[in-house]
Amino acid sequence: MLPAPDLAGGDEPGVVIDALVTVALDDLDEGHLDVETALRAIAIAAWRAGRSTAPVT
């Protein structure tokens, strides 16, 4: 089950990544994904979330 969105518009990147991990685990269990694909999707999402919240110097 995916977490409910933050109605105040302040969803943390960690919430999105947690939801992606949950979906990836479900898809792995059902045989829709292999481990490499699931890990790659999660890593890309985490990298993008980190870049979007990183301060610009």
Side-chain angles (χ1 to χ4, degrees), residues 13-44:
V15 173
V16 175
I17 293 170
D18 288 346
L20 182 58
V21 169
T22 301
V23 170
L25 289 174
D26 289 344
D27 284 346
L28 279 170
D29 286 342
E30 295 174 8
H32 299 296
L33 284 177
D34 60 13
V35 172
E36 182 180 353
T37 303
L39 290 175
R40 182 175 291 133
I42 294 166
I44 290 170

Side-chain angles (χ1 to χ4, degrees), residues 1-5 11-12 19-21 23-24 30 41 43 52-54 56-57:
M1 177 189 263
L2 296 175
D11 278 339
E12 295 292 324
L20 182 58
V21 169
V23 170
E30 295 174 8
S52 70
T53 60
V56 177
T57 56

